[in-house]
Amino acid sequence: MATDIMSHISQGSLSAIFSPETHPSRTVAQPVLQCVQIKPLPSQQGQPGAPERYRVVFSDIQNFVQSMLATQANGVIKEDKLKKGSIVRLKSFQANQVKGKRILIVLDLDVFEELGTHEKFGEPKALEIVEEDSKPQPTTISSNGFYGNKPQQQPQQQTANTQLKTAKSASHANIYPIEALSPYAHKWTIKVRCTHKSDIKTWHNKNGEGRLFSVNLLDETGEIRGTGFNDQCDALYELFQDGSVYYISSPCRVQLAKKQFTNLNNDYELTFERDTVVEKAEEQDGVPQIRFNFTSIGDLASIEKDTTIDVIGVLQNVAETSQITSKTTSKPYDKRDLTLVDNTQRSVRLTIWGNTATSFDVSEESVIAFKGVKVSDFDGKSLSLLSSGSMTVDPDIDEAHKLKGWYDAQGRNDKFESLRDDSVRTSSGRNEEFKSILQVKDENLGMSETPDYFSTKATIVSIRQESFAYPSCLTEGCNKKVVETDPNEWRCEKCDKTHPRPEYRYIMRLCVNDHTGSLWLNGFEEVGRLVMGMTADQLMELKENNEKAKDNVFQDATCKAYTFRCRAKMDTYQEVQSVRYQILSASPLNFSRESAKLVEMIKQYSIAE
């Protein structure tokens, strides 16, 4: 039996893979090998959700070689198909040589489960190590005590500096896969496609100023982010173009990825250095196009807040460009809201930013694929395109063709349920149900030791004008009240600073009504700007110079309906306890959506004949 199994194995094929000119007769396109060891790799950053990676040793009876499974091939282990002693056929792989160490990156393989598992056949030996001028260096796919050679601790050899040049003089014979890149890999070249190039960004701080840009790079085994700073930004920015294929050769720093700046599933990222070699490949094929891992709109309800995903949908609506001001930097940002739908009969709001928002010129009913969008749970589920994300209009992929066919056939006339549901789940997991004002009072919300949260739809009937704003500190992030000590001198005790003027911020009392009763709510800066339609500074100026105009502003702000998210909490003022209702956020009532909900409610009362 064992002899029969051994006859399936492609003996001598491993040496032929790495030295085809020496063993041409042994070359096998899809060699059959035995798996003699499997070990999981720990996550490089110990982060939950990081891709699992496995190191495997394969034997052809004569020799063995250390290998690493690409994450796309992990299924054979998760499904318990690949085991120690299994017989496999390698369908797709890349052979690499790092400082004399032979390594296989396995992209795809079949496991002959019907052949079972067996003890190691023969006494395979490690492939001969090629002598090089420099000594072997450890890589992420050779580990302490792993099958075969014992590790050697060697000092890292310094790389000689050379002038920045194109890669036409470099050898591309040994292409390295992205999957195998690590800080310990040296003398590598990768062949990758640029799937996204960012705008040039600048920064200014106490240490100086600078500029940078980043690119997302893709090959068959994975994706990685590359960043160029200052001189490298100037030298490489125009060279990189979205969709083009490049050879990139070391020296190029490989370091742990800064996850707050990237949406790619890789523990590492690249930083281009002075001697990094980048060349646009003459052949633009052989590298996959942009890779998507779509989440349907209908499945977004179960996706955690701040998760980064890819999504595809039909563009149903395009809003006008608007502008918001950052709370931390006080800088204005352009934004535009898009509405996407898909065949799950759901719709979602997706926000794009900056130049992408202002230059957006895509017709409605187009299919758009977004890579790298962030999930938010504000007012239901919504999406936001990250600066490192990308957008592809009418992509030539199966998912887009199917979606377009569905929309043309029936979707155009369908009704879609928005993910901005009647109950709002916050980042802390609270389920904020809609309540009428009568329900808020009857259920004694806010009377317990812990705060209660709710949402309500109500109309503003009056706004207290006596003290609608307070003078605050100009120091960024402070917002504490300041006191006028002398003319044009406003003192902040917290910052221990004096300012020539204050910045007025809203602190408002609103009386709201619905069909069940009335309630006094407290609102602050963001709510005040929304309700009044101007800043507190502007309204204070009207109060001082044009009392009638100020009264008109307050009058115009009433009799408008909003959806309010509120917190009810017991408060003590001058030894008297009462429930304080604070507005966490507010948004104008969407009458079209509310009407659709009422129609659905009416249908529930219909009696079938």
Side-chain angles (χ1 to χ4, degrees):
M1 178 64 177
T3 304
D4 293 339
I5 301 299
M6 291 174 63
S7 66
H8 289 82
I9 295 178
S10 308
Q11 297 192 34
S13 59
L14 291 179
S15 60
I17 288 173
F18 289 94
S19 303
E21 68 285 349
T22 307
H23 307 285
S25 62
R26 299 180 180 177
T27 302
V28 180
Q30 296 186 348
V32 176
L33 306 171
Q34 183 184 26
C35 172
V36 294
Q37 192 166 23
I38 303 173
K39 278 193 175 182
L41 273 168
S43 173
Q44 298 293 343
Q45 290 180 293
Q47 295 185 344
E52 295 177 343
R53 305 170 84 175
Y54 296 93
R55 290 176 290 196
V56 183
V57 175
F58 290 114
S59 163
D60 67 0
I61 301 179
Q62 296 181 11
N63 299 103
F64 68 81
V65 66
Q66 298 184 22
S67 310
M68 185 167 71
L69 288 186
T71 53
Q72 65 204 51
N74 282 352
V76 294
I77 292 182
K78 293 181 178 179
E79 296 169 9
D80 202 29
K81 293 181 179 179
L82 182 62
K83 305 174 183 177
K84 182 179 179 180
S86 295
I87 309 300
V88 305
R89 175 189 287 120
L90 304 189
K91 298 172 62 178
S92 178
F93 56 88
Q94 292 182 347
N96 287 276
Q97 183 173 302
V98 183
K99 297 294 183 178
K101 292 185 181 294
R102 271 63 181 290
I103 297 164
L104 276 184
I105 307 299
V106 179
L107 307 176
D108 192 14
L109 75 164
D110 286 333
V111 180
F112 296 109
E113 296 182 85
E114 66 276 11
L115 298 182
T117 59
H118 305 271
E119 293 296 323
K120 179 181 65 176
F121 294 132
E123 293 295 332
K125 299 179 180 179
L127 291 172
E128 288 186 9
I129 296 178
V130 177
E131 294 295 332
E132 293 186 6
D133 294 335
S134 57
K135 295 182 180 180
Q137 298 291 332
T139 72
T140 53
I141 45 182
S142 62
S143 67
N144 293 342
F146 194 49
Y147 193 93
N149 297 333
K150 293 294 182 181
Q152 298 183 21
Q153 300 295 330
Q154 297 291 346
Q156 184 172 340
Q157 187 177 15
Q158 297 294 324
T159 304
N161 290 328
T162 59
Q163 293 184 349
L164 183 64
K165 58 184 179 295
T166 66
K168 292 181 180 178
S169 61
S171 172
H172 299 151
N174 186 27
I175 300 299
Y176 221 81
I178 287 176
E179 181 93 1
L181 288 177
S182 79
Y184 308 106
H186 300 275
K187 290 185 179 180
W188 49 260
T189 296
I190 56 176
K191 184 180 181 182
V192 292
R193 188 180 300 277
C194 174
T195 58
H196 173 73
K197 180 177 76 169
S198 74
D199 295 330
I200 294 178
K201 301 177 183 178
T202 59
W203 78 86
H204 306 270
N205 56 33
K206 62 181 180 181
N207 297 321
E209 58 184 35
R211 57 205 174 278
L212 65 87
F213 83 103
S214 63
V215 288
N216 291 349
L217 306 171
L218 167 74
D219 72 2
E220 289 184 343
T221 68
E223 296 177 274
I224 195 167
R225 179 174 182 257
T227 304
F229 294 88
N230 299 324
D231 291 344
Q232 281 64 51
C233 177
D234 298 338
L236 299 176
Y237 185 78
E238 294 300 331
L239 178 59
F240 279 107
Q241 299 296 327
D242 285 348
S244 295
V245 176
Y246 298 87
Y247 291 105
I248 301 175
S249 302
S250 59
C252 180
R253 186 160 75 250
V254 184
Q255 60 192 25
L256 289 175
K258 298 178 179 65
K259 292 296 185 179
Q260 66 271 33
F261 300 124
T262 179
N263 60 294
L264 301 184
N265 192 8
N266 197 321
D267 291 330
Y268 296 118
E269 64 184 11
L270 304 177
T271 299
F272 303 126
E273 298 183 332
R274 179 169 61 90
D275 297 330
T276 299
V277 180
V278 179
E279 176 198 6
K280 188 172 183 179
E282 294 182 2
E283 67 284 359
Q284 291 291 300
D285 54 3
V287 179
Q289 301 290 334
I290 185 170
R291 178 181 294 160
F292 294 100
N293 184 20
F294 292 123
T295 298
S296 70
I297 296 176
D299 289 338
L300 290 177
S302 61
I303 302 299
E304 292 293 327
K305 173 181 180 289
D306 294 333
T307 303
T308 301
I309 64 165
D310 304 338
V311 69
I312 187 170
V314 177
L315 182 62
Q316 187 187 55
N317 179 261
V318 181
E320 294 296 324
T321 304
S322 59
Q323 198 172 78
I324 64 170
T325 302
S326 169
K327 295 180 182 178
T328 55
T329 65
S330 298
K331 293 182 180 179
Y333 290 93
D334 294 311
K335 57 170 285 194
R336 188 193 295 267
D337 288 337
L338 312 177
T339 302
L340 298 180
V341 299
D342 69 5
N343 54 7
T344 63
Q345 312 303 125
R346 299 294 184 92
S347 67
V348 67
R349 184 183 75 249
L350 189 150
T351 303
I352 55 177
W353 303 87
N355 292 334
T356 305
T358 55
S359 62
F360 186 83
D361 187 21
V362 179
S363 59
E364 293 181 357
E365 300 191 352
S366 298
V367 176
I368 309 182
F370 291 90
K371 182 174 182 62
V373 295
K374 186 177 181 179
V375 178
S376 169
D377 63 359
F378 175 74
D379 199 14
K381 290 289 185 181
S382 60
L383 303 173
S384 178
L385 181 63
L386 299 171
S387 60
S388 58
S390 61
M391 174 182 72
T392 307
V393 179
D394 292 325
D396 187 14
I397 56 177
D398 289 343
E399 292 90 343
H401 299 320
K402 291 177 182 178
L403 205 55
K404 184 64 173 175
W406 157 81
Y407 191 79
D408 289 341
Q410 69 176 75
R412 184 177 285 107
N413 300 316
D414 285 351
K415 293 182 178 180
F416 299 91
E417 181 182 351
S418 172
L419 289 181
R420 299 177 68 176
D421 294 330
D422 279 349
S423 70
V424 180
R425 183 165 293 278
T426 66
S427 58
S428 60
R430 297 187 298 266
N431 203 25
E432 300 176 0
E433 296 181 359
F434 269 94
K435 303 282 187 182
S436 68
I437 291 176
L438 181 61
Q439 287 175 313
V440 171
K441 294 179 178 180
D442 286 351
E443 295 176 16
N444 295 321
L445 298 186
M447 300 290 287
S448 59
E449 294 182 0
T450 58
D452 292 311
Y453 297 84
F454 65 93
S455 295
T456 190
K457 290 174 285 191
T459 301
I460 298 175
V461 294
S462 67
I463 304 173
R464 185 169 294 173
Q465 299 187 28
E466 289 77 11
S467 55
F468 61 83
Y470 72 96
S472 71
C473 179
L474 290 177
T475 302
E476 184 176 335
C478 178
N479 299 334
K480 291 296 183 180
K481 185 176 181 179
V482 293
V483 178
E484 188 176 20
T485 55
D486 287 302
N488 298 324
E489 289 188 6
W490 296 79
R491 176 74 178 170
C492 177
E493 294 298 332
K494 177 185 176 183
C495 300
D496 194 23
K497 291 182 179 179
T498 299
H499 301 286
R501 62 175 179 82
E503 177 187 23
Y504 282 93
R505 296 178 62 84
Y506 283 111
I507 178 168
M508 308 185 72
R509 289 271 289 167
L510 314 174
C511 183
V512 301
N513 275 27
D514 69 4
H515 62 289
T516 65
S518 63
L519 198 66
W520 281 95
L521 306 178
N522 297 285
F524 295 99
E525 178 68 7
E526 291 77 11
V527 174
R529 289 193 180 207
L530 173 67
V531 171
M532 306 308 297
M534 61 178 62
T535 65
D537 278 331
Q538 293 170 326
L539 192 54
M540 285 296 296
E541 186 176 352
L542 288 181
K543 180 181 179 181
E544 295 172 0
N545 302 317
N546 191 335
E547 188 74 19
K548 184 177 180 180
K550 184 264 295 182
D551 291 341
N552 289 337
V553 172
F554 275 92
Q555 183 64 34
D556 291 342
T558 60
C559 299
K560 293 182 179 179
Y562 294 87
T563 298
F564 297 100
R565 289 179 55 233
C566 303
R567 179 181 65 197
K569 183 181 179 182
M570 186 64 70
D571 191 26
T572 302
Y573 180 71
Q574 294 182 346
E575 299 184 357
V576 177
Q577 282 192 330
S578 62
V579 178
R580 180 183 177 91
Y581 302 100
Q582 180 180 330
I583 303 172
L584 302 178
S585 66
S587 59
L589 206 61
N590 187 320
F591 289 98
S592 175
R593 187 169 67 245
E594 295 301 321
S595 297
K597 291 178 182 177
L598 291 175
V599 170
E600 292 302 318
M601 291 176 63
I602 292 172
K603 288 180 179 179
Q604 294 178 13
Y605 288 95
S606 299
I607 300 175
E609 295 182 358

